[in-house]
Amino acid sequence: MHLISSGQLHATFEFGDLQVISLRDGYIDMPPTRLRSEDGRALDELPAAVPLVGDNLRLSVNAFFVTDGTRSVLIDTGASNVWHDPTMGLIYDALDEAGIDRAQITDVAITHNHEDHVSGLIMPDGAEAFTKLERVWIGAGDTSVVTGRLEPISDRVVPVSEKVAINEWVTAIPTPGHTPGHTVYDVRSSTGNLLVWGDTVHVPTLQFEQPHVCWEYDGNRSQARAERAALLEQLTRPGHFVAGAHLDSPGIARVTPSGAGYALEYLAPLIG
């Protein structure tokens, strides 16, 4: 996988017979007290390698568009205007910058039901963001989010309750823990595999080196920890890459073993 173009809000990678485009929805600042040790307590101290902006962790918010030139899947949709933060909701600008026509997107795959991942299905003015939308793939345990503001797309929801192929090169894999319906998408190209995840990792400068560390809002922390461990081990295989919603933008990297944990190597210069 290699970078072929980039801008302020996107980066395009060639991945064998596919293209993967990282889309930057923005960022959100969160307090370090969101991080939890194995006993459930906030961490006493952060390693020096974990940067703070002011007193906060800065989490990138990314989505990913994958296409073979004919079919495409958009994985996650950002926050739209739901988070009420001017640093987020940029995915529509990112799609425009990348030259992606929103009107041609028929399949959206959601990693989980939290606002910064699912809200971009509906634009700030209440209109549907993807006018030719046919299917919204989301974990069966998270489908209750598709009400209220998201009600207009409820008739196109496809619940994911087991491993299932979305098309010939994307497979949805349930990874419950952060939420009951948290789902990872395995993208298979002619040259390898890309695992696209949502909130498996929130703080990449810490949770690769110390994968036992969890997030306050992991609904089932022991389950989230186990899923993270399994995915990280899988990512050390040859030809495997990761795309993460909260990895530093553009959020696409390779993973290698390092001591008791793992090391992350980004495939492109960071954005923002």
Side-chain angles (χ1 to χ4, degrees):
M1 180 184 291
H2 66 274
L3 181 71
I4 56 176
S5 67
S6 63
Q8 291 186 324
L9 298 174
H10 87 284
T12 301
F13 296 82
E14 183 181 278
F15 186 39
D17 52 345
L18 302 176
Q19 273 197 358
V20 179
I21 303 177
S22 171
L23 302 162
R24 181 168 169 80
D25 192 62
Y27 66 85
I28 186 69
D29 290 341
M30 304 289 277
T33 52
R34 296 279 187 258
L35 291 163
R36 291 288 188 269
S37 60
E38 286 189 86
D39 62 9
R41 295 185 298 176
L43 299 186
D44 294 330
E45 187 176 353
L46 289 178
V50 180
L52 296 178
V53 180
D55 293 325
N56 289 315
L57 301 161
R58 178 157 290 179
L59 277 60
S60 291
V61 181
N62 311 309
F64 301 94
F65 180 85
V66 187
T67 182
D68 64 1
T70 302
R71 301 186 64 181
S72 64
V73 177
L74 175 63
I75 302 174
D76 279 352
T77 65
S80 189
N81 63 331
V82 170
W83 206 281
H84 303 294
D85 194 308
T87 64
M88 296 175 69
L90 302 177
I91 192 170
Y92 312 120
D93 294 331
L95 287 161
D96 288 344
E97 182 185 273
I100 299 168
D101 183 359
R102 286 190 284 112
Q104 300 305 312
I105 294 175
T106 59
D107 284 79
V108 171
I110 299 295
T111 60
H112 66 291
N113 61 10
H114 288 166
E115 291 176 337
D116 52 330
H117 299 262
V118 70
S119 300
L121 285 160
I122 302 296
M123 298 182 70
D125 64 3
E128 291 189 28
F130 311 107
T131 55
K132 292 187 179 178
L133 183 67
E134 296 178 6
R135 291 164 291 271
V136 179
W137 305 82
I138 186 171
D142 286 0
T143 57
S144 61
V145 72
V146 190
T147 57
R149 181 178 176 278
L150 297 178
E151 181 66 31
I153 57 90
S154 61
D155 60 328
R156 282 152 285 177
V157 167
V158 182
V160 175
S161 57
E162 59 186 3
K163 185 175 179 179
V164 62
I166 289 178
N167 58 34
E168 61 272 25
W169 36 265
V170 180
T171 299
I173 304 172
T175 54
H178 180 64
T179 64
H182 193 277
T183 302
V184 165
Y185 296 91
D186 181 14
V187 179
R188 300 176 310 282
S189 80
S190 58
T191 59
N193 288 67
L194 175 70
L195 296 182
V196 185
W197 68 36
D199 283 16
T200 303
V201 166
H202 287 83
V203 183
T205 52
L206 176 64
Q207 288 179 287
F208 283 89
E209 183 179 340
Q210 300 184 41
H212 62 276
V213 174
C214 281
W215 191 246
E216 180 181 8
Y217 297 124
D218 287 337
N220 183 321
R221 290 176 193 159
S222 61
Q223 195 174 34
R225 189 180 295 113
E227 292 289 355
R228 179 165 51 255
L231 290 169
L232 287 170
E233 187 60 29
Q234 182 177 346
L235 283 164
T236 64
R237 299 173 185 171
H240 280 65
F241 304 88
V242 63
H246 298 306
L247 301 189
D248 296 330
S249 293
I252 296 181
R254 60 170 53 91
V255 175
T256 55
S258 178
Y262 301 86
L264 188 67
E265 179 189 352
Y266 288 105
L267 299 189
L270 302 185
I271 299 173

PDB file of all heavy atoms in Angstrom, residues 73-98:
ATOM      1  N   VAL A  73     -17.431   1.532  -0.841  1.00  0.00           N
ATOM      2  CA  VAL A  73     -17.994   1.485   0.506  1.00  0.00           C
ATOM      3  C   VAL A  73     -17.379   2.640   1.296  1.00  0.00           C
ATOM      4  O   VAL A  73     -16.157   2.836   1.275  1.00  0.00           O
ATOM      5  CB  VAL A  73     -17.668   0.155   1.224  1.00  0.00           C
ATOM      6  CG1 VAL A  73     -18.209   0.170   2.652  1.00  0.00           C
ATOM      7  CG2 VAL A  73     -18.246  -1.031   0.460  1.00  0.00           C
ATOM      8  N   LEU A  74     -18.221   3.404   1.972  1.00  0.00           N
ATOM      9  CA  LEU A  74     -17.758   4.431   2.899  1.00  0.00           C
ATOM     10  C   LEU A  74     -17.868   3.859   4.307  1.00  0.00           C
ATOM     11  O   LEU A  74     -18.955   3.454   4.733  1.00  0.00           O
ATOM     12  CB  LEU A  74     -18.609   5.695   2.783  1.00  0.00           C
ATOM     13  CG  LEU A  74     -18.292   6.801   3.794  1.00  0.00           C
ATOM     14  CD1 LEU A  74     -16.872   7.333   3.607  1.00  0.00           C
ATOM     15  CD2 LEU A  74     -19.311   7.934   3.695  1.00  0.00           C
ATOM     16  N   ILE A  75     -16.744   3.827   5.021  1.00  0.00           N
ATOM     17  CA  ILE A  75     -16.725   3.265   6.369  1.00  0.00           C
ATOM     18  C   ILE A  75     -16.666   4.410   7.373  1.00  0.00           C
ATOM     19  O   ILE A  75     -15.678   5.140   7.445  1.00  0.00           O
ATOM     20  CB  ILE A  75     -15.540   2.305   6.554  1.00  0.00           C
ATOM     21  CG1 ILE A  75     -15.616   1.181   5.502  1.00  0.00           C
ATOM     22  CG2 ILE A  75     -15.544   1.711   7.967  1.00  0.00           C
ATOM     23  CD1 ILE A  75     -14.420   0.253   5.504  1.00  0.00           C
ATOM     24  N   ASP A  76     -17.756   4.585   8.109  1.00  0.00           N
ATOM     25  CA  ASP A  76     -18.004   5.668   9.068  1.00  0.00           C
ATOM     26  C   ASP A  76     -18.270   6.986   8.340  1.00  0.00           C
ATOM     27  O   ASP A  76     -17.932   7.160   7.165  1.00  0.00           O
ATOM     28  CB  ASP A  76     -16.900   5.807  10.098  1.00  0.00           C
ATOM     29  CG  ASP A  76     -17.042   4.800  11.235  1.00  0.00           C
ATOM     30  OD1 ASP A  76     -18.068   4.101  11.294  1.00  0.00           O
ATOM     31  OD2 ASP A  76     -16.134   4.711  12.075  1.00  0.00           O
ATOM     32  N   THR A  77     -18.889   7.915   9.074  1.00  0.00           N
ATOM     33  CA  THR A  77     -19.389   9.139   8.425  1.00  0.00           C
ATOM     34  C   THR A  77     -19.111  10.413   9.215  1.00  0.00           C
ATOM     35  O   THR A  77     -19.576  11.475   8.828  1.00  0.00           O
ATOM     36  CB  THR A  77     -20.914   9.037   8.210  1.00  0.00           C
ATOM     37  OG1 THR A  77     -21.573   8.981   9.485  1.00  0.00           O
ATOM     38  CG2 THR A  77     -21.288   7.818   7.380  1.00  0.00           C
ATOM     39  N   GLY A  78     -18.375  10.326  10.321  1.00  0.00           N
ATOM     40  CA  GLY A  78     -18.090  11.536  11.073  1.00  0.00           C
ATOM     41  C   GLY A  78     -19.273  12.028  11.895  1.00  0.00           C
ATOM     42  O   GLY A  78     -20.270  11.330  12.070  1.00  0.00           O
ATOM     43  N   ALA A  79     -19.138  13.254  12.389  1.00  0.00           N
ATOM     44  CA  ALA A  79     -20.052  13.772  13.412  1.00  0.00           C
ATOM     45  C   ALA A  79     -21.132  14.701  12.893  1.00  0.00           C
ATOM     46  O   ALA A  79     -22.040  15.063  13.653  1.00  0.00           O
ATOM     47  CB  ALA A  79     -19.240  14.506  14.484  1.00  0.00           C
ATOM     48  N   SER A  80     -21.059  15.131  11.609  1.00  0.00           N
ATOM     49  CA  SER A  80     -21.971  16.157  11.113  1.00  0.00           C
ATOM     50  C   SER A  80     -21.962  17.330  12.099  1.00  0.00           C
ATOM     51  O   SER A  80     -20.895  17.771  12.518  1.00  0.00           O
ATOM     52  CB  SER A  80     -23.369  15.571  10.902  1.00  0.00           C
ATOM     53  OG  SER A  80     -24.212  16.495  10.238  1.00  0.00           O
ATOM     54  N   ASN A  81     -23.141  17.805  12.517  1.00  0.00           N
ATOM     55  CA  ASN A  81     -23.187  18.921  13.475  1.00  0.00           C
ATOM     56  C   ASN A  81     -23.633  18.475  14.858  1.00  0.00           C
ATOM     57  O   ASN A  81     -23.976  19.295  15.707  1.00  0.00           O
ATOM     58  CB  ASN A  81     -24.133  20.012  12.982  1.00  0.00           C
ATOM     59  CG  ASN A  81     -25.572  19.532  12.868  1.00  0.00           C
ATOM     60  OD1 ASN A  81     -25.816  18.343  12.633  1.00  0.00           O
ATOM     61  ND2 ASN A  81     -26.531  20.427  13.024  1.00  0.00           N
ATOM     62  N   VAL A  82     -23.632  17.164  15.103  1.00  0.00           N
ATOM     63  CA  VAL A  82     -24.196  16.643  16.341  1.00  0.00           C
ATOM     64  C   VAL A  82     -23.294  16.903  17.540  1.00  0.00           C
ATOM     65  O   VAL A  82     -23.781  17.114  18.658  1.00  0.00           O
ATOM     66  CB  VAL A  82     -24.481  15.128  16.187  1.00  0.00           C
ATOM     67  CG1 VAL A  82     -24.838  14.496  17.515  1.00  0.00           C
ATOM     68  CG2 VAL A  82     -25.609  14.922  15.186  1.00  0.00           C
ATOM     69  N   TRP A  83     -21.976  16.913  17.331  1.00  0.00           N
ATOM     70  CA  TRP A  83     -21.056  17.067  18.450  1.00  0.00           C
ATOM     71  C   TRP A  83     -20.960  18.518  18.916  1.00  0.00           C
ATOM     72  O   TRP A  83     -20.406  18.836  19.941  1.00  0.00           O
ATOM     73  CB  TRP A  83     -19.671  16.552  18.057  1.00  0.00           C
ATOM     74  CG  TRP A  83     -18.853  16.081  19.215  1.00  0.00           C
ATOM     75  CD1 TRP A  83     -18.153  16.840  20.109  1.00  0.00           C
ATOM     76  CD2 TRP A  83     -18.638  14.727  19.625  1.00  0.00           C
ATOM     77  NE1 TRP A  83     -17.515  16.060  21.033  1.00  0.00           N
ATOM     78  CE2 TRP A  83     -17.805  14.748  20.759  1.00  0.00           C
ATOM     79  CE3 TRP A  83     -19.078  13.490  19.129  1.00  0.00           C
ATOM     80  CZ2 TRP A  83     -17.385  13.593  21.415  1.00  0.00           C
ATOM     81  CZ3 TRP A  83     -18.656  12.352  19.775  1.00  0.00           C
ATOM     82  CH2 TRP A  83     -17.826  12.407  20.906  1.00  0.00           C
ATOM     83  N   HIS A  84     -21.481  19.440  18.123  1.00  0.00           N
ATOM     84  CA  HIS A  84     -21.455  20.873  18.446  1.00  0.00           C
ATOM     85  C   HIS A  84     -20.041  21.357  18.720  1.00  0.00           C
ATOM     86  O   HIS A  84     -19.784  22.098  19.666  1.00  0.00           O
ATOM     87  CB  HIS A  84     -22.377  21.184  19.643  1.00  0.00           C
ATOM     88  CG  HIS A  84     -23.788  20.764  19.422  1.00  0.00           C
ATOM     89  ND1 HIS A  84     -24.597  21.350  18.470  1.00  0.00           N
ATOM     90  CD2 HIS A  84     -24.537  19.788  20.001  1.00  0.00           C
ATOM     91  CE1 HIS A  84     -25.787  20.772  18.473  1.00  0.00           C
ATOM     92  NE2 HIS A  84     -25.770  19.819  19.378  1.00  0.00           N
ATOM     93  N   ASP A  85     -19.130  20.924  17.891  1.00  0.00           N
ATOM     94  CA  ASP A  85     -17.739  21.323  18.026  1.00  0.00           C
ATOM     95  C   ASP A  85     -17.243  21.757  16.650  1.00  0.00           C
ATOM     96  O   ASP A  85     -17.324  20.989  15.692  1.00  0.00           O
ATOM     97  CB  ASP A  85     -16.900  20.156  18.558  1.00  0.00           C
ATOM     98  CG  ASP A  85     -15.536  20.606  19.035  1.00  0.00           C
ATOM     99  OD1 ASP A  85     -14.844  21.292  18.251  1.00  0.00           O
ATOM    100  OD2 ASP A  85     -15.160  20.287  20.169  1.00  0.00           O
ATOM    101  N   PRO A  86     -16.741  22.966  16.519  1.00  0.00           N
ATOM    102  CA  PRO A  86     -16.339  23.443  15.182  1.00  0.00           C
ATOM    103  C   PRO A  86     -15.143  22.720  14.602  1.00  0.00           C
ATOM    104  O   PRO A  86     -14.810  22.911  13.429  1.00  0.00           O
ATOM    105  CB  PRO A  86     -16.008  24.923  15.440  1.00  0.00           C
ATOM    106  CG  PRO A  86     -15.670  25.006  16.894  1.00  0.00           C
ATOM    107  CD  PRO A  86     -16.555  23.989  17.558  1.00  0.00           C
ATOM    108  N   THR A  87     -14.473  21.872  15.390  1.00  0.00           N
ATOM    109  CA  THR A  87     -13.323  21.130  14.875  1.00  0.00           C
ATOM    110  C   THR A  87     -13.740  19.829  14.203  1.00  0.00           C
ATOM    111  O   THR A  87     -12.885  19.079  13.737  1.00  0.00           O
ATOM    112  CB  THR A  87     -12.340  20.806  16.010  1.00  0.00           C
ATOM    113  OG1 THR A  87     -12.978  19.926  16.961  1.00  0.00           O
ATOM    114  CG2 THR A  87     -11.889  22.071  16.715  1.00  0.00           C
ATOM    115  N   MET A  88     -15.039  19.537  14.164  1.00  0.00           N
ATOM    116  CA  MET A  88     -15.513  18.282  13.583  1.00  0.00           C
ATOM    117  C   MET A  88     -16.595  18.564  12.546  1.00  0.00           C
ATOM    118  O   MET A  88     -17.024  19.692  12.366  1.00  0.00           O
ATOM    119  CB  MET A  88     -16.027  17.353  14.689  1.00  0.00           C
ATOM    120  CG  MET A  88     -14.939  16.930  15.668  1.00  0.00           C
ATOM    121  SD  MET A  88     -15.577  15.947  17.036  1.00  0.00           S
ATOM    122  CE  MET A  88     -16.019  14.454  16.163  1.00  0.00           C
ATOM    123  N   GLY A  89     -17.018  17.492  11.864  1.00  0.00           N
ATOM    124  CA  GLY A  89     -18.061  17.633  10.861  1.00  0.00           C
ATOM    125  C   GLY A  89     -17.548  18.025   9.495  1.00  0.00           C
ATOM    126  O   GLY A  89     -18.304  18.551   8.671  1.00  0.00           O
ATOM    127  N   LEU A  90     -16.279  17.740   9.212  1.00  0.00           N
ATOM    128  CA  LEU A  90     -15.658  18.174   7.959  1.00  0.00           C
ATOM    129  C   LEU A  90     -15.709  17.121   6.859  1.00  0.00           C
ATOM    130  O   LEU A  90     -15.134  17.331   5.792  1.00  0.00           O
ATOM    131  CB  LEU A  90     -14.191  18.551   8.217  1.00  0.00           C
ATOM    132  CG  LEU A  90     -13.942  19.640   9.257  1.00  0.00           C
ATOM    133  CD1 LEU A  90     -12.446  19.847   9.451  1.00  0.00           C
ATOM    134  CD2 LEU A  90     -14.625  20.938   8.864  1.00  0.00           C
ATOM    135  N   ILE A  91     -16.380  16.011   7.095  1.00  0.00           N
ATOM    136  CA  ILE A  91     -16.303  14.918   6.117  1.00  0.00           C
ATOM    137  C   ILE A  91     -16.843  15.300   4.747  1.00  0.00           C
ATOM    138  O   ILE A  91     -16.317  14.864   3.715  1.00  0.00           O
ATOM    139  CB  ILE A  91     -17.002  13.648   6.634  1.00  0.00           C
ATOM    140  CG1 ILE A  91     -16.633  12.457   5.734  1.00  0.00           C
ATOM    141  CG2 ILE A  91     -18.505  13.840   6.734  1.00  0.00           C
ATOM    142  CD1 ILE A  91     -17.054  11.121   6.258  1.00  0.00           C
ATOM    143  N   TYR A  92     -17.856  16.152   4.695  1.00  0.00           N
ATOM    144  CA  TYR A  92     -18.402  16.542   3.390  1.00  0.00           C
ATOM    145  C   TYR A  92     -17.363  17.344   2.600  1.00  0.00           C
ATOM    146  O   TYR A  92     -17.217  17.167   1.384  1.00  0.00           O
ATOM    147  CB  TYR A  92     -19.689  17.336   3.568  1.00  0.00           C
ATOM    148  CG  TYR A  92     -20.655  16.694   4.529  1.00  0.00           C
ATOM    149  CD1 TYR A  92     -21.067  17.356   5.682  1.00  0.00           C
ATOM    150  CD2 TYR A  92     -21.134  15.401   4.315  1.00  0.00           C
ATOM    151  CE1 TYR A  92     -21.935  16.767   6.590  1.00  0.00           C
ATOM    152  CE2 TYR A  92     -21.992  14.792   5.213  1.00  0.00           C
ATOM    153  CZ  TYR A  92     -22.385  15.487   6.356  1.00  0.00           C
ATOM    154  OH  TYR A  92     -23.236  14.896   7.255  1.00  0.00           O
ATOM    155  N   ASP A  93     -16.626  18.214   3.285  1.00  0.00           N
ATOM    156  CA  ASP A  93     -15.533  18.937   2.633  1.00  0.00           C
ATOM    157  C   ASP A  93     -14.424  17.973   2.214  1.00  0.00           C
ATOM    158  O   ASP A  93     -13.820  18.136   1.150  1.00  0.00           O
ATOM    159  CB  ASP A  93     -14.965  19.995   3.572  1.00  0.00           C
ATOM    160  CG  ASP A  93     -15.952  21.115   3.878  1.00  0.00           C
ATOM    161  OD1 ASP A  93     -16.806  21.396   3.012  1.00  0.00           O
ATOM    162  OD2 ASP A  93     -15.870  21.694   4.968  1.00  0.00           O
ATOM    163  N   ALA A  94     -14.152  16.970   3.058  1.00  0.00           N
ATOM    164  CA  ALA A  94     -13.117  15.989   2.730  1.00  0.00           C
ATOM    165  C   ALA A  94     -13.490  15.190   1.487  1.00  0.00           C
ATOM    166  O   ALA A  94     -12.647  14.928   0.618  1.00  0.00           O
ATOM    167  CB  ALA A  94     -12.887  15.058   3.914  1.00  0.00           C
ATOM    168  N   LEU A  95     -14.750  14.778   1.393  1.00  0.00           N
ATOM    169  CA  LEU A  95     -15.210  14.055   0.212  1.00  0.00           C
ATOM    170  C   LEU A  95     -15.065  14.909  -1.045  1.00  0.00           C
ATOM    171  O   LEU A  95     -14.603  14.430  -2.091  1.00  0.00           O
ATOM    172  CB  LEU A  95     -16.672  13.634   0.394  1.00  0.00           C
ATOM    173  CG  LEU A  95     -16.925  12.486   1.383  1.00  0.00           C
ATOM    174  CD1 LEU A  95     -18.381  12.468   1.814  1.00  0.00           C
ATOM    175  CD2 LEU A  95     -16.541  11.150   0.768  1.00  0.00           C
ATOM    176  N   ASP A  96     -15.430  16.185  -0.945  1.00  0.00           N
ATOM    177  CA  ASP A  96     -15.285  17.090  -2.089  1.00  0.00           C
ATOM    178  C   ASP A  96     -13.815  17.238  -2.478  1.00  0.00           C
ATOM    179  O   ASP A  96     -13.467  17.181  -3.667  1.00  0.00           O
ATOM    180  CB  ASP A  96     -15.866  18.464  -1.746  1.00  0.00           C
ATOM    181  CG  ASP A  96     -17.387  18.459  -1.670  1.00  0.00           C
ATOM    182  OD1 ASP A  96     -18.011  17.499  -2.166  1.00  0.00           O
ATOM    183  OD2 ASP A  96     -17.939  19.417  -1.105  1.00  0.00           O
ATOM    184  N   GLU A  97     -12.955  17.432  -1.486  1.00  0.00           N
ATOM    185  CA  GLU A  97     -11.529  17.609  -1.767  1.00  0.00           C
ATOM    186  C   GLU A  97     -10.943  16.384  -2.458  1.00  0.00           C
ATOM    187  O   GLU A  97     -10.091  16.489  -3.337  1.00  0.00           O
ATOM    188  CB  GLU A  97     -10.788  17.879  -0.459  1.00  0.00           C
ATOM    189  CG  GLU A  97      -9.289  18.123  -0.641  1.00  0.00           C
ATOM    190  CD  GLU A  97      -8.572  18.275   0.693  1.00  0.00           C
ATOM    191  OE1 GLU A  97      -8.534  19.406   1.210  1.00  0.00           O
ATOM    192  OE2 GLU A  97      -8.066  17.257   1.211  1.00  0.00           O
ATOM    193  N   ALA A  98     -11.432  15.193  -2.063  1.00  0.00           N
ATOM    194  CA  ALA A  98     -10.932  13.946  -2.642  1.00  0.00           C
ATOM    195  C   ALA A  98     -11.566  13.623  -3.990  1.00  0.00           C
ATOM    196  O   ALA A  98     -11.191  12.640  -4.628  1.00  0.00           O
ATOM    197  CB  ALA A  98     -11.183  12.799  -1.670  1.00  0.00           C
TER     198      ALA A  98
END
